[in-house]
Amino acid sequence: MSETAVRFDKASKLFGSVRAVDAVDLALPRGSLVTLLGPSGCGKTTTVRLIAGLELATEGRIEIEGRDVTRLAAAERRIAMVFQSYALFPHMSVLENVSYGLVVGGARRQAAEAEARQMLDTLGLKGMEARLPAELSGGQQQRVAVARALVLRPQVLLFDEPLSNLDARLRRRVREDIRDLQRRLGLTVVYVTHDQQEALAVSDIVVVMRDGRIAQMGTPTELYEQPADAFVADFMGEANVIEGEVIAAADGRARLAVGGSKIEVAMRAGRPGKGRIAVRPEAVTVLPVAAAEGGSNAIPARVQRAAFLGQHREYELETAAGALFVVAPSGAAAFAAGESVQARIDRAIWLG
Amino acid sequence: MGAAGLARVAWICAAVGLLVAPWHGLEGGLAELGAWPAGIATPLLGLALGDRFWLLPPLGLLVLATLPLFGLGNAGRILTFAGAASVAYIFAQGYAIGLRGLEWSWLAPILGPEVPAQAALGWGGALAIAGFTGICAAGLAARGRFGGDAFIAFLVIGSALLLVLFVFLPLLRVLQAAIYEHDQFAPSALIARLTASEAWSTGCVADGVGCGVVWNTLVLATLTGVLTTAIGLAFALLTTRGELRAVRMFRALTILPLITPPFVVSLALIVLFGRTGIVTQWVSYLFDVPRSRWIYGMPGVLLAQLLSGAPIAFMLLEGTIRAIAPSLEEAAATMGARRLTVFRTVTWPLLRPGLAAAFLLGFVESLADFGNPLVLGGDFDVLSTRIFFAIAGARHDPGRAAALAILLLALTFGAFAAQAYWLGKRRYVTVSGKGDSGVPSPLPRGLAMGCGAIALPWAAFTAVIYGIIMVGGFVHDIGRGDMTITWRHFVTAFEVEMQAGGAAFRGAAWDSLFTTLEVSAISAPLTAGMGIMLAWLLARQVFPGRRTLEFMAMLSFAIPGTVVGVSYIMAFNVPPIELTGTAMILIICFVFRNLPVGVRGGIAALSQIDRSLDEASATMGAGAFTTLRRVILPLLRPAIVAALAYSFVHAMTGVSAIIFLVSAKYNMATAYIVGRVEAGEIALAIAYSSLLIVLMLIVVLGIERVVGRVQIGRRGGRGENEPAEPAMRLGA
Ligand SMILES: Nc1ncnc2c1ncn2[C@@H]1O[C@H](COP(=O)(O)OP(=O)(O)O)[C@@H](O)[C@H]1O
Ligand SMILES: [Mg+2]
């Protein structure tokens, strides 16, 4: 038995001449939570709809649990999907909604309702069975949608931006709930979002998409620390991309020449040569001009803008290497706009 | 449904049609079944084995279609071919060999000189065509068309076939009739008919002899369009922007024309302004003005059309004005514009598309109107009445009727094309879906007074008209001013005698009332069912030819009833499809005439139902049919009820098409009433009309009570410029 739950083999989807998904190869391990991340219009929704069978691939092949489903309609695949709008049937009670798939699949109504009740209990919706969807809060509707999907014991559970209709506070809780449930039941989940925080918080694997292709796929840490290119670096949290040169690299450290200064930073996978370097906002420390901690890693800078945001401070620095956006803990020393400072670069990412 | 399942069911249906059921129609009804399996009730099998060898091919194709059922051969190709070929062949042989034997003389070398006459298709034919259509659909689904869904394939192919048969072919028949003279192909006859001076003469300008009927029609329609728009606008401005808050009363008035048989206001006008009319008597008494017949002619017809058209224009324009965001007017006012300036520079330009729509609506309704010109026209003929007399009058001339029908059709299509062009270009409506608060700017004083001067007398006039209709049935002879109260007319029409064996309906009108109720009650669910199904196919399924199907489904919207009537008697009077004189032709006529409204309502309702509901259902394992039944139809209930109400009401009130199609056995209420009017029995006609109005008021109000306000206007429905309902997303 293979450990791959979903496999794409050069799968493409064309709408007219638009390649919404473009020759994608993908293998998603069973029992993991995989997020599809990317800007609007990059093909995330189309990808999950290809898995669901709501769109049929124009080219290539799709497998679910080793079965070729390329030409199978949604009704014939063993998947379930939680829609952005939840798509609860407004004319059916919560219980009818949740037992719908079982009844349609030929189960006896009584058995189906018993199973549905159990699933509603699991999701903390006991007592809501008789209500109509319109009589539930947003968060409750969302959980009914999840219960309705889970009760069918799908091979893959799909979520398309499931949190976008919830307010910010609820969003964090629901995403943790989904993660817990996924772990507890060992589900294979494919989860679409355009919010990188959300992706980092819940996933085993993140797939960053761009223009219908996969830009990079890996664990959240890999993607954050070793983005394959500027696009991924920028999408996985903010990054200052500056021009520079690696003079020497060894043992996870490198000597760089940026903006006329020579500095030594932590850097993986660097190769000598000119290229682009990404610096995370929190990988820069702002110090007074005279401070000794700067050492050989600091470059001279001027504060362009400074803002206090409670938990942290944000600076925009002007340096010979270009503008740097810096996030500093609010406990650190404060600087005002116009001050001359030094910026110590602690870590950098080689983009080549 | 899988392709194999459909193929089996369809095969059985076709087999019953060919082997068991009587192939030809049973003229005398079920009694003739006694002759089965011989005589008039012989199935195709018997006929083909007899002397009618040309009926053999469908049997061969049925055998061919058996192969895939046992897993032999390429199912997709075989089923598609066998189904399509059989349907085509059955129709072709039906047209080729008719009541006079061989109709297509070029086939003589193959079929021999003496081909026996052939009657119209009957139940066997219908079953076989349905079955072979199913076989063809199963074949296409098996080949992966229609997403591989045989259920959808069957619905699409089946409804396309029905639309071709009952909308498209009849029109072709009209064209054919216009281009043939004495069975000879004669394009010159067509040209002569289309350019005839009866249509285009401009004599009236020069010497007042009387103008061509096209000019009559155009002038009348233009006047109706302009004046209904003006009156409707006056009402709409007062209810939305004026101090007048009698909206509810106006709304109540707007419902009346919709449930009134179209010519009933004409009866009231005769009662008021006829030679012996109430007003005529008074005026002649008070001012010594000689009595005249001025009401019979253009003025009377125009007045009648205004009475029924103005409320529809009002509804449309009221929607347009409400859609103009008050904040726009407020913005103008804050910039220092005075009331009149605000109206002139902001409100009016935003209103213009709505005015164009209202004008075209009135124009088209006038073109299509048949009842009022028939009753009040006198010597003033319009196209619709001239068509009727060319068929039903002393000079029966189908070619002439067909040519006039083509002219009328051209005018109507022209108006619709203009509408599409005009409204397509300038749609700067300000509907946002968001509630726009703000207080609409009040009307400039002069304008408000002008509107009131039009609207209030008109409302009073309308009230008088309907008052007369409601009273007229209960007095001796309202047409001559004899106001003694009596039940006489109702007794004549609706007498019921209690006998030992139960009630006997002895009144003269019972037959037509029962037929009307029966035809309406049968056609309404068929119309609603087919309309909603088509809407679902068009809005939710992707298949090749979707736009064509949509065009055909909406086509009958633009065909005036008179043209439909003419086309039906031309198309369905002779084999292979012979329906004239039956109740079925009345039902079919209503179903296809009222279909577009059901389709439109269905599409509008479906656009409010988020597609993700269908998709959610699919991901939970439900097929298209299950999703339709369990999710879509329950949510479409209001649209279904509206379609039911609409088609019921219009089947009860329609006259222009069915006046060609009624028979002594199956007469309809409206046709019966027109007959009474022609016989001079105005009071009886009014009595019957008032009963119809009350009946329908009960139906409409009952439905309103159940599902809320129902749109029943034929074309007045949702104008392009009406505000959307508060967007109700059913997705969440
Ligand atoms: N049904 C459709 N018809 C035509 N184009 C579509 C359709 N669905 C998506 N697209 C196009 O495919 C691309 C990817 O869309 P989508 O998968 O919805 O992106 P995302 O979910 O990442 O925002 C977009 O360019 C979009 O316009
Ligand atoms: Mg999306």
Side-chain angles (χ1 to χ4, degrees):
Chain A
M1 198 152 74
S2 84
E3 287 300 307
T4 305
V6 178
R7 181 188 300 282
F8 275 36
D9 189 5
K10 296 254 176 303
S12 297
K13 177 67 193 179
L14 283 81
F15 293 109
S17 62
V18 179
R19 289 191 161 265
V21 169
D22 191 4
V24 164
D25 282 315
L26 199 61
L28 307 181
R30 176 175 323 126
S32 59
L33 195 158
V34 180
T35 45
L36 301 181
L37 179 65
S40 175
C42 70
K44 309 178 295 288
T45 296
T46 309
T47 307
V48 284
R49 289 170 63 85
L50 282 173
I51 301 175
L54 295 171
E55 309 283 0
L56 294 185
T58 323
E59 297 154 9
R61 183 182 150 92
I62 297 173
E63 282 176 18
I64 297 178
E65 292 292 346
R67 181 166 69 130
D68 181 358
V69 298
T70 316
R71 303 246 66 86
L72 287 189
E76 295 158 55
R77 301 185 185 187
R78 282 193 51 201
I79 48 86
M81 182 152 170
V82 175
F83 290 79
Q84 190 168 357
S85 62
Y86 313 142
L88 298 180
F89 303 133
H91 59 301
M92 296 184 195
S93 70
V94 166
L95 188 64
E96 286 169 330
N97 262 289
V98 177
S99 50
Y100 178 85
L102 297 169
V103 172
V104 163
R108 294 244 313 280
R109 180 165 290 277
Q110 291 220 316
E113 289 192 349
E115 224 173 307
R117 269 176 215 283
Q118 211 170 2
M119 187 52 71
L120 286 168
D121 281 2
T122 315
L123 283 156
L125 289 163
K126 206 181 174 90
M128 310 275 174
E129 290 87 350
R131 294 208 198 163
L132 289 178
E135 298 165 339
L136 300 176
S137 72
Q140 288 168 334
Q141 290 181 9
Q142 214 266 350
R143 273 182 286 158
V144 173
V146 174
R148 191 175 71 169
L150 280 180
V151 81
L152 294 172
R153 312 204 178 286
Q155 290 173 327
V156 186
L157 179 55
L158 308 166
F159 288 89
D160 188 2
E161 312 222 4
L163 307 184
S164 52
N165 286 337
L166 302 178
D167 61 49
R169 195 177 294 210
L170 205 53
R171 222 175 280 176
R172 172 172 302 214
R173 220 190 67 208
V174 172
R175 82 184 183 209
E176 294 308 329
D177 285 351
I178 292 175
R179 178 60 159 165
D180 283 349
L181 207 63
Q182 181 265 334
R183 284 229 175 92
R184 197 142 43 94
L185 304 178
L187 299 167
T188 308
V189 170
V190 180
Y191 187 107
V192 169
T193 179
H194 62 259
D195 178 346
Q196 55 95 14
Q197 289 249 341
E198 207 173 299
L200 290 179
V202 299
S203 350
D204 295 310
I205 295 174
V206 177
V207 178
V208 180
M209 295 189 64
R210 180 189 192 182
D211 295 338
R213 292 167 179 273
I214 293 178
Q216 194 178 357
M217 174 171 166
T219 65
T221 331
E222 279 168 2
L223 262 67
Y224 193 77
E225 292 183 350
Q226 286 171 267
D229 54 23
F231 174 80
V232 178
D234 196 43
F235 212 82
M236 300 299 297
E238 287 189 73
N240 299 290
V241 178
I242 54 179
E243 301 287 330
E245 185 181 355
V246 176
I247 299 165
D251 302 335
R253 295 197 68 76
R255 273 187 69 74
L256 306 179
V258 287
S261 311
K262 292 207 162 59
I263 55 173
E264 197 181 305
V265 299
M267 178 189 271
R268 291 197 240 176
R271 257 174 286 111
K274 289 196 180 200
R276 288 187 303 164
I277 296 161
V279 180
R280 295 282 182 203
E282 71 277 9
V284 181
T285 311
V286 188
L287 298 166
V289 179
E293 306 100 291
S296 60
N297 277 359
I299 56 177
R302 243 174 87 85
V303 179
Q304 283 287 31
R305 238 193 296 272
F308 174 67
L309 282 97
Q311 291 178 342
H312 62 271
R313 290 175 196 280
E314 290 181 2
Y315 296 108
E316 239 178 81
L317 306 183
E318 197 186 63
T319 72
L324 279 185
F325 174 69
V326 179
V327 174
S330 54
F335 303 91
E339 261 185 86
S340 287
V341 293
Q342 48 177 333
R344 189 186 72 202
I345 298 176
D346 304 317
R347 295 182 308 276
I349 299 160
W350 176 244
L351 298 174
Chain B
M1 198 194 294
L6 175 64
R8 268 193 297 275
V9 176
W11 190 91
I12 293 171
C13 179
V16 171
L18 295 182
L19 309 179
V20 184
W23 181 250
H24 290 299
L26 300 179
E27 307 259 320
L30 293 181
E32 292 172 352
L33 267 184
W36 191 85
I40 193 162
T42 316
L44 175 129
L45 180 66
L47 297 169
L49 295 180
D51 59 346
R52 312 199 165 201
F53 58 89
W54 63 85
L55 291 175
L56 281 169
L59 290 170
L61 290 166
L62 183 72
V63 173
L64 179 63
T66 318
L67 299 179
L69 300 185
F70 296 102
L72 299 172
N74 178 331
R77 279 158 185 266
I78 293 179
L79 292 175
T80 309
F81 169 76
S86 300
V87 172
Y89 185 84
I90 290 172
F91 279 115
Q93 64 85 26
Y95 283 108
I97 303 166
L99 279 181
R100 297 177 301 184
L102 196 59
E103 300 275 348
W104 294 356
S105 46
W106 53 271
L107 284 173
I110 304 168
L111 292 171
E114 282 302 309
V115 180
Q118 184 165 248
L121 294 175
W123 288 112
L127 282 173
I129 289 167
F132 280 117
T133 308
I135 289 175
C136 175
L140 288 170
R143 295 176 71 178
R145 302 292 169 84
F146 301 98
D149 193 317
F151 172 64
I152 289 170
F154 179 63
L155 292 186
V156 171
I157 309 263
S159 43
L161 185 67
L162 287 174
L163 286 169
V164 166
L165 271 186
F166 294 112
V167 179
F168 205 66
L169 268 189
L171 285 186
L172 283 187
R173 272 292 208 192
V174 169
L175 201 62
Q176 191 192 12
I179 211 166
Y180 274 75
E181 180 138 46
H182 306 305
D183 277 353
Q184 293 295 312
F185 182 71
S188 57
L190 174 68
I191 293 168
R193 283 163 178 157
L194 287 180
T195 55
S197 79
E198 85 163 309
W200 298 98
S201 149
T202 50
C204 54
V205 181
D207 51 19
V209 174
C211 262
V213 66
V214 170
W215 298 121
N216 283 352
T217 310
L218 276 178
V219 169
L220 177 67
T222 308
L223 284 174
T224 303
V226 170
L227 293 177
T228 49
T229 307
I231 298 170
L233 180 63
F235 276 98
L237 284 175
L238 284 180
T239 57
T240 54
R241 293 289 195 274
E243 263 80 277
L244 192 68
R245 288 283 172 258
V247 188
R248 288 174 65 89
M249 191 194 79
F250 285 130
R251 282 204 176 280
L253 276 185
T254 61
I255 207 173
L256 281 172
L258 304 177
I259 58 171
T260 310
F263 49 83
V264 171
V265 288
S266 291
L267 301 183
L269 287 177
I270 291 177
V271 167
L272 284 177
F273 304 114
R275 252 181 74 81
T276 56
I278 299 169
V279 174
T280 314
Q281 304 265 29
W282 275 92
V283 170
S284 111
Y285 174 73
L286 291 176
F287 307 108
D288 205 21
V289 176
R291 298 171 184 184
S292 80
R293 298 173 51 86
W294 67 273
I295 194 76
Y296 295 97
M298 166 100 107
V301 180
L302 177 62
L303 209 50
Q305 290 186 346
L306 293 185
L307 279 164
S308 39
I312 299 173
F314 160 70
M315 283 202 298
L316 199 149
L317 288 169
E318 201 212 357
T320 312
I321 299 178
R322 287 199 192 284
I324 297 175
S327 54
L328 290 180
E329 293 175 352
E330 280 182 334
T334 55
M335 289 182 263
R338 293 179 328 121
R339 275 188 190 186
L340 188 60
T341 318
V342 171
F343 184 83
R344 200 168 46 75
T345 55
V346 178
T347 319
W348 180 255
L350 287 171
L351 259 180
R352 272 200 311 235
L355 293 175
F359 167 78
L360 283 166
L361 196 62
F363 186 85
V364 169
E365 291 286 356
S366 167
L367 289 182
D369 186 17
F370 168 76
N372 290 311
L374 183 70
V375 172
L376 275 180
D379 295 333
F380 175 78
D381 263 353
V382 289
L383 278 166
S384 60
T385 47
R386 194 61 74 82
I387 293 169
F388 176 67
F389 290 123
I391 290 288
R395 276 173 54 212
H396 176 76
D397 185 348
R400 194 169 130 247
L404 292 169
I406 290 171
L407 289 174
L408 180 54
L409 205 55
L411 291 184
T412 322
F413 280 177
F416 275 105
Q419 186 178 30
Y421 178 76
W422 173 261
L423 292 182
K425 276 200 145 174
R426 26 199 105 203
R427 198 180 300 157
Y428 33 60
V429 195
T430 54
V431 187
S432 61
K434 291 185 207 133
D436 191 329
S437 56
V439 183
S441 109
L443 282 186
R445 183 161 308 279
L447 191 60
M449 282 166 64
C451 288
I454 296 175
L456 295 180
W458 189 260
F461 182 45
T462 309
V464 168
I465 291 286
Y466 280 94
I468 282 181
I469 294 164
M470 285 301 137
V471 171
F474 297 98
V475 298
H476 218 76
D477 189 351
I478 195 167
R480 296 204 162 70
D482 181 351
M483 300 298 269
T484 347
I485 290 178
T486 174
W487 284 100
R488 191 167 74 113
H489 312 301
F490 281 95
V491 170
T492 314
F494 301 109
E495 186 181 2
V496 181
E497 192 170 297
M498 301 311 282
Q499 293 172 334
F505 297 97
R506 297 169 55 103
W510 279 120
D511 278 349
S512 64
L513 184 63
F514 285 145
T515 307
T516 305
L517 286 172
E518 201 179 307
V519 165
S520 308
I522 295 174
S523 66
L526 290 176
T527 315
M530 187 167 171
I532 298 287
M533 181 205 76
L534 273 168
W536 178 71
L537 287 178
L538 295 172
R540 284 296 215 262
Q541 305 298 327
V542 183
F543 51 88
R546 204 174 58 88
R547 309 241 73 189
T548 315
L549 189 68
E550 180 169 9
F551 173 77
M552 285 202 299
M554 303 310 279
L555 180 62
S556 60
F557 204 58
I559 309 176
T562 327
V563 177
V564 174
V566 168
S567 71
Y568 269 43
I569 50 167
M570 285 177 178
F572 303 125
N573 202 25
V574 288
I577 306 179
E578 195 181 326
L579 295 170
T580 43
T582 64
M584 185 123 82
I585 196 170
L586 299 172
I587 294 169
I588 291 175
C589 172
F590 282 127
V591 168
F592 288 91
R593 246 174 95 54
N594 295 331
L595 190 63
V597 174
V599 176
R600 256 193 11 172
I603 289 180
L606 277 166
S607 70
Q608 302 280 314
I609 299 175
D610 201 292
R611 227 173 233 276
S612 66
L613 292 187
D614 306 36
E615 297 180 346
S617 178
T619 58
M620 286 186 273
F625 179 69
T626 310
T627 304
L628 179 64
R629 187 168 63 86
R630 288 180 162 264
V631 178
I632 304 299
L633 288 185
L635 292 173
L636 283 182
R637 210 180 56 123
I640 295 172
V641 177
L644 274 175
Y646 173 87
S647 30
F648 184 81
V649 165
H650 281 258
M652 297 271 293
T653 57
V655 64
S656 53
I658 54 103
I659 199 154
F660 293 88
L661 307 176
V662 293
S663 47
K665 194 163 169 203
Y666 299 105
N667 201 0
M668 298 282 285
T670 49
Y672 178 85
I673 296 174
V674 168
R676 294 301 95 217
V677 176
E678 289 186 330
E681 300 174 32
I682 301 261
L684 180 60
I686 288 182
Y688 199 167
S689 304
S690 63
L691 180 92
L692 282 186
I693 293 176
V694 170
L695 256 177
M696 271 169 303
L697 202 59
I698 292 170
V699 172
V700 170
L701 291 181
I703 289 169
E704 257 195 57
R705 173 137 289 185
V706 180
V707 291
R709 193 173 165 74
V710 180
Q711 285 287 351
I712 49 174
R714 174 164 165 79
R715 300 198 174 84
R718 295 183 73 77
E720 299 288 334
N721 293 304
E722 278 193 61
E725 304 278 353
M728 180 182 58
R729 290 254 307 191
L730 288 169

